[in-house]
Amino acid sequence: MANTSSNPMARPSDIQGIGPQAPGESGIRARVRFHQSWYRQHILKLPRYGNTEPHSGNRPSGSILHPEDAAAGKNFTTLSAENLYRTRRRDGWGVDPIRCTRYLTSSQALTINLLAPLKEDPDWAARSISGLIGMKIKRVTKMDVEFAPQRRNLHLGDMTRLDAWIHLETESGPLGLAVEVKYSDRFNSRHLKVSENPKYQALAIETGLWDLSDRKSQSRPVNQLLRCHALAADLWLTTHKGGDLPTILVLHHPGDQSAPKTAELYREALNRPDLMKVASLDQLVSQMRITATSKYQRTVAQTLRIRYLDHELSEASWMKYLDNRRA
């Protein structure tokens, strides 16, 4: 099973070997980075750590795996996650082979760790997602990570990519679900002027999802979510004429206050605000635990909680680290 080789309830507080942290970082980003450094040292039992990429200064960091540990798949919490990464990597461009395998704070690695066990058991996925979006899901028929159409020119033509693209069968019919996963990273700063793009204009008219002349839909903070939702709608309409439009879900760390605020701004830009869903990673992992039907599934959920959510386990080390930094 996963990379959990010690008893986390021991809550070790030793900070020797935690490794360097990012200078000047604060808030949830600093706390997440420290927890992952703690996880590397105390749960994975990996004394070595790696460096940032050369273009980022080649700085040592406790939340980056040593290249040999990365190559051994230590950034993945299950074998299914490691296999999904390698399969997705063989399929082509879209996953960052350095960040996804080495950076413990990678949102791509988080997405794969979350969804791979669900992808291998569609019934478990249906039960977990049902509780997450408040809708009875009968089946999960498709689940892709870091998804974009092979022929972008047949769709919206830009570089927009979905963290996850899921096809569901509900009691009221098929449903497309686009998922955007945020760990501690910000929304993409790339801003496309969708109001001036003929393909987006045509999609807005066809779906009625937005008024692209409205300032709310043109604001920079919502641009990534609008593009992701647009791509999902365009993909869905090519195969599901007459059905309801896709829902978009933002999954965020419970300590991140920025992502849900951005999601709310996008909800305000939508003519169909019911299609915008927001949930915390804690909610998903809790649903996975509640709906688990085997020891393996319960262990998967527990491993994810230790890895990404239970900062209480590293709190003693964190407080000692802050004391040392103030000294």
Side-chain angles (χ1 to χ4, degrees), residues 6 64 69 109 113 127 135 152 160 215 232 239 261 280 296:
S6 69
I64 298 176
D69 295 325
N113 284 332
R127 296 191 301 270
M135 185 181 302
R152 298 172 187 270
T160 301
R215 288 184 179 180
T239 55
K261 288 179 181 177
S280 72
Y296 168 76

Side-chain angles (χ1 to χ4, degrees), residues 272-323:
R272 287 280 309 275
D274 59 301
L275 298 180
M276 174 76 249
K277 306 289 186 182
V278 184
S280 72
L281 298 174
D282 181 68
Q283 288 174 287
L284 175 56
V285 172
S286 293
Q287 285 300 315
M288 291 173 70
R289 175 65 178 83
I290 291 168
T291 61
T293 57
S294 68
K295 181 179 179 180
Y296 168 76
Q297 291 177 352
R298 290 188 289 274
T299 302
V300 167
Q302 177 66 2
T303 299
L304 289 169
R305 181 166 296 283
I306 292 168
R307 168 76 187 267
Y308 291 109
L309 293 164
D310 202 347
H311 286 185
E312 177 62 24
L313 296 174
S314 62
E315 186 67 13
S317 292
W318 172 243
M319 297 307 296
K320 184 179 292 187
Y321 165 75
L322 290 179
D323 286 343

Side-chain angles (χ1 to χ4, degrees), residues 226-245:
L226 190 151
R227 288 187 287 106
C228 288
H229 203 183
L231 176 58
D234 187 75
L235 291 166
W236 193 250
L237 289 173
T238 61
T239 55
H240 294 79
K241 294 289 185 183
D244 201 4
L245 294 167

Side-chain angles (χ1 to χ4, degrees), residues 27 76 108 126 128 143 161 167 180 223 250 260 280 288 291 310:
F76 302 107
Q108 280 192 344
S128 299
M143 183 182 291
R161 182 176 295 276
H167 289 192
E180 180 67 24
N223 190 254
V250 171
S280 72
M288 291 173 70
T291 61
D310 202 347

Side-chain angles (χ1 to χ4, degrees), residues 91 102 206:
D91 287 343
R102 295 187 190 179
E206 181 179 4

Side-chain angles (χ1 to χ4, degrees), residues 54-96:
H55 64 76
S56 298
N58 202 34
R59 292 181 291 100
S61 173
S63 62
I64 298 176
L65 295 175
H66 186 277
E68 291 181 7
D69 295 325
K74 298 299 185 179
N75 207 18
F76 302 107
T77 53
T78 58
L79 180 59
S80 63
E82 184 178 358
N83 289 340
L84 178 58
Y85 162 74
R86 299 196 187 285
T87 298
R88 178 60 188 80
R89 180 75 181 140
R90 284 195 300 269
D91 287 343
W93 184 85
V95 291
D96 185 326

